Amino acid sequence: MNIITAKDLCLWYDTLQALKNIDVEIPEKTITALIGPSGCGKSTFLKTLNRMNDLIPGVKITGSVCYQGKEIYAPGVDVSELRRQIGMVFQKPNPFPMSVYDNVAYGPRTHGITSRVKLNEIVERSLRNAVIWDEVKDRLRKNALGLSGGQQQRLCIARALAVEPQVLLMDEPTSALDPISTSKIEELVTSLKEKYTIVIVTHNMQQAVRISDQTAFFLLGELIEYGNTEQMFSKPKEKRTEGYITGRFG
Amino acid sequence: MQHNPLPARRKAYIGTMRMLMWISVAIAGALVLFLVGYVLVKGIPNITWELLSTKPSYLDGTIGILPNILNTVYIILATLVVVLPLGVGAAIYLTEYAGNQKIVGMIEYAAETLSGIPSIIYGLVGMLFFCQFMNMQTSLLAGSLTLVIMNLPTIMRTTQESLKTVPQSYREGAFGLGAGKWRVIRTVVLPGCVDGIVTGCILAIGRILGESAALLFTAGFAHALNGLFDGLTSAGATLTVALYVYAKEQGEFDVAFAIAAILMVLTVLVNLCAALVGKYFKRKNSV
Ligand SMILES: Nc1ncnc2c1ncn2[C@@H]1O[C@H](COP(=O)(O)OP(=O)(O)O)[C@@H](O)[C@H]1O
Ligand SMILES: [Mg+2]
């Protein structure tokens, strides 16, 4: 089952075309890696999947993105509900300047949950799922900005999990972290595959190989090659893919 | 590096410059000390409980500034109650909602220009518009509304500047969880800029405390003790206006200096508050 399908997707920032006729199908409960040199449109593509580009003035989009068979750019789509189901983790950890607890409870509260008992339960479950519970259980009331970078990023993952999404979009979630935090997050992402579909942008080829099922290679706004990760890294179909993954450019 | 002794001429030059700088510092410092000292020495002995707790009355033979203290408090409160929602609201709209950046830029420019206009012009306009055209007469209300217009640009600009310092990543994080625009503003953006709003408020209070020209035109210089509720519709002098009236029209210099000393102390307190608030929020945001 494909949970997300992009067809002939184009995107312009004013006059700059950042995505050119992208066709991608993302199967449910898999990890898809997006790779490619800086500025090739990975983040842009990721953000089209939960309409985060709506926030940027001057963006124009053509083509189609379907989530669970429904066009997400159709008029009348509930963007708030869409973003609840397709969550996002950013490159730089961005916890809100409030307590650890309030950070995780932010999403559920946004979607109308007020019961203390229920919130406590959601917060604990999300923090456990993001493998950070043991580190923060004694400091739930402390400001989240006091955590280390790696902890902040796992907190942001917990925050995203708290609204029970189906899909998790991650934009280079480990690029600002040290190697130990990075491997913790990789482990976490792999374990999340059981319940969630994950699309992850990464600059790190080893990371793509380690964790992803399929890989999409972008170059200058085009999708050059998309397919099974192992096959792509052992036997790329395209010369340009080979050039990139063997480190000849990018 | 070789250590060359400086030529004599250069030495003399440096010495002279250093001395000139010392002299300017000394003069500036002495002036401030003299001014503050003079006002405090002449003023403080005249601050009596009777002065603070009575109204001027020919029958009782008292000259009290209680009405002026109350008028000052009234005007500050009335002004803030109106200017805060207006200024903060305008700032939120301009920074978070408005689409046309050209118009936003023009409004910001206009606001900056407005905050540099001499206050007597606000007084004149306030008198014509509020007192006469709106038929409010000379009253604390007309005075407050004039001060609202005067302080609106300041409150709006300080709020705007601090809205802009809230990291975009906070907004993205909240939107990414499905929060709507207003929820993002209320829960993530506004808490991050309370310090700016409070600073704007304190600046406004300082400005209102020191304002005389605009209020002479619009709030008048009555010394009567106003009731709690009809206070706003009567004329009345704030402490600063009263200072002018006592010194210039009644020749009561003792009272004038007492008021001056009180205003000086209040101004120091307001500035201290601003510094403390800044410090408090800096600490709060860094952990
Ligand atoms: N908000 C924006 N406004 C204008 N151009 C943008 C914006 N964001 C990205 N771009 C441009 O779109 C292209 C793709 O950017 P991006 O998706 O961030 O690349 P990547 O994530 O692969 O490094 C780049 O040329 C970038 O300069
Ligand atoms: Mg990027």
Side-chain angles (χ1 to χ4, degrees):
Chain A
M1 238 300 266
N2 293 324
I3 189 164
I4 291 176
T5 318
K7 268 211 196 85
D8 207 20
L9 182 69
C10 298
L11 182 144
W12 288 263
Y13 292 111
D14 288 314
T15 52
L16 174 88
Q17 184 169 9
L19 294 177
K20 297 171 185 162
N21 311 86
I22 308 293
D23 289 296
V24 170
E25 292 180 338
I26 295 170
E28 209 171 359
K29 303 205 172 124
T30 59
I31 299 179
T32 306
L34 308 181
I35 61 170
S38 282
C40 67
K42 306 178 297 291
S43 300
T44 302
F45 175 69
L46 198 69
K47 287 194 220 153
T48 56
L49 302 183
N50 70 344
R51 292 188 53 170
M52 286 296 279
N53 288 316
D54 289 12
L55 305 176
I56 303 166
V59 166
K60 198 183 121 212
I61 294 172
T62 64
S64 114
V65 178
C66 287
Y67 167 67
Q68 294 189 329
K70 292 204 189 72
E71 173 61 49
I72 66 170
Y73 285 95
V77 167
D78 181 352
V79 179
S80 167
E81 177 58 20
L82 177 77
R83 293 194 188 134
R84 186 189 72 70
Q85 297 200 25
I86 306 184
M88 189 143 202
V89 176
F90 300 84
Q91 177 167 4
K92 218 173 130 256
N94 61 346
F96 303 131
M98 39 178 100
S99 73
V100 171
Y101 184 97
D102 288 336
N103 262 281
V104 183
Y106 189 90
R109 282 178 175 144
T110 298
H111 295 279
I113 295 174
T114 50
S115 143
R116 190 93 231 169
V117 182
K118 197 120 189 260
L119 283 173
N120 288 344
E121 182 198 308
I122 294 176
V123 168
E124 177 167 350
R125 173 164 33 87
S126 308
L127 288 168
R128 280 190 192 282
N129 284 343
V131 204
I132 189 180
W133 172 253
D134 290 331
E135 285 157 77
V136 298
K137 64 171 186 261
D138 299 322
R139 47 186 303 180
L140 291 177
R141 297 285 156 203
K142 294 258 172 65
N143 196 313
L145 298 185
L147 300 175
S148 75
Q151 290 173 326
Q152 289 189 8
Q153 193 63 301
R154 274 177 290 147
L155 175 66
C156 290
I157 295 176
R159 186 175 71 183
L161 296 180
V163 292
E164 301 181 17
Q166 302 292 313
V167 181
L168 218 46
L169 308 175
M170 311 178 108
D171 195 348
E172 302 191 38
T174 60
S175 68
L177 305 182
D178 60 277
I180 295 175
S181 306
T182 298
S183 70
K184 277 191 186 162
I185 299 228
E186 284 184 15
E187 244 173 75
L188 166 60
V189 170
T190 316
S191 75
L192 290 176
K193 191 169 83 163
E194 262 178 57
K195 285 196 245 156
Y196 308 93
T197 309
I198 290 162
V199 184
I200 182 170
V201 174
T202 176
H203 253 121
N204 180 332
M205 298 304 116
Q206 281 86 30
Q207 186 171 69
V209 173
R210 275 195 299 264
I211 64 177
S212 74
D213 300 296
Q214 55 273 330
T215 300
F217 171 55
F218 285 79
L219 193 61
L220 297 171
E222 279 178 81
L223 180 62
I224 304 297
E225 188 168 344
Y226 177 51
N228 180 284
T229 300
E230 238 168 80
Q231 265 172 28
M232 189 149 139
F233 278 87
S234 55
K235 242 197 265 153
K237 295 195 192 81
E238 284 272 341
K239 264 268 162 303
R240 286 174 289 182
T241 316
E242 192 185 343
Y244 182 69
I245 60 184
T246 52
R248 246 170 283 157
F249 66 91
Chain B
M1 213 175 91
Q2 209 179 336
H3 192 83
N4 280 335
L6 288 169
R9 257 184 61 195
R10 197 143 167 81
K11 243 183 191 162
Y13 174 76
I14 292 177
T16 319
M17 286 322 269
R18 187 166 291 170
M19 200 147 86
L20 282 177
M21 275 187 267
W22 267 110
I23 291 176
S24 0
V25 170
I27 291 179
L31 269 178
V32 171
L33 273 182
F34 171 74
L35 202 76
V36 174
Y38 186 70
V39 169
L40 291 183
V41 167
K42 298 266 291 188
I44 288 180
N46 292 311
I47 303 178
T48 58
W49 177 243
E50 189 192 297
L51 182 80
L52 296 176
S53 63
T54 58
K55 60 180 180 171
S57 161
Y58 294 115
L59 294 177
D60 305 341
T62 51
I63 303 186
I65 58 168
L66 180 64
N68 309 112
I69 296 176
L70 292 179
N71 288 339
T72 308
V73 173
Y74 273 167
I75 284 211
I76 289 177
L77 289 182
T79 307
L80 288 184
V81 160
V82 182
V83 81
L84 264 187
L86 275 183
V88 173
I92 290 178
Y93 182 80
L94 289 179
T95 342
E96 306 288 328
Y97 287 93
N100 190 331
Q101 285 310 305
K102 246 192 207 144
I103 296 184
V104 171
M106 270 160 58
I107 294 178
E108 286 175 359
Y109 184 73
E112 237 134 66
T113 313
L114 272 180
S115 51
I117 286 180
S119 63
I120 197 156
I121 297 177
Y122 285 98
L124 187 62
V125 173
M127 180 180 74
L128 293 177
F129 185 74
F130 293 118
C131 303
Q132 296 179 6
F133 181 73
M134 301 282 284
N135 211 11
M136 291 177 186
Q137 314 303 340
T138 304
S139 64
L140 291 185
L141 183 62
S144 299
L145 292 176
T146 307
L147 292 181
V148 164
I149 300 183
M150 215 169 98
N151 284 292
L152 186 58
T154 317
I155 299 271
M156 193 186 93
R157 293 297 290 140
T158 48
T159 308
Q160 259 190 311
E161 286 316 309
S162 89
L163 281 171
K164 286 177 192 164
T165 63
V166 176
Q168 192 60 23
S169 66
Y170 292 172
R171 294 185 180 86
E172 281 181 322
F175 282 121
L177 289 164
K181 187 126 196 172
W182 175 237
R183 180 167 165 80
V184 175
I185 291 174
R186 195 167 49 82
T187 56
V188 178
V189 178
L190 278 182
C193 73
V194 180
D195 55 339
I197 298 175
V198 174
T199 309
C201 254
I202 293 172
L203 282 177
I205 293 178
R207 217 168 156 200
I208 297 170
L209 268 183
E211 186 50 51
S212 55
L215 288 173
L216 277 170
F217 275 104
T218 52
F221 19 94
H223 289 320
L225 196 55
N226 297 314
L228 188 57
F229 294 105
D230 57 3
L232 277 182
T233 50
S234 348
T238 60
L239 282 170
T240 310
V241 174
L243 169 63
Y244 169 82
V245 176
Y246 278 118
K248 190 79 184 151
E249 313 211 324
Q250 304 181 349
E252 295 278 1
F253 280 97
D254 288 349
V255 181
F257 270 107
I259 297 178
I262 293 173
L263 281 172
M264 205 112 98
V265 172
L266 285 180
T267 310
V268 171
L269 283 182
V270 166
N271 285 346
L272 213 65
C273 271
L276 283 179
V277 164
K279 226 183 195 162
Y280 170 76
F281 280 104
K282 203 170 258 164
R283 207 173 38 213
K284 200 173 150 210
N285 286 340
S286 65
V287 170

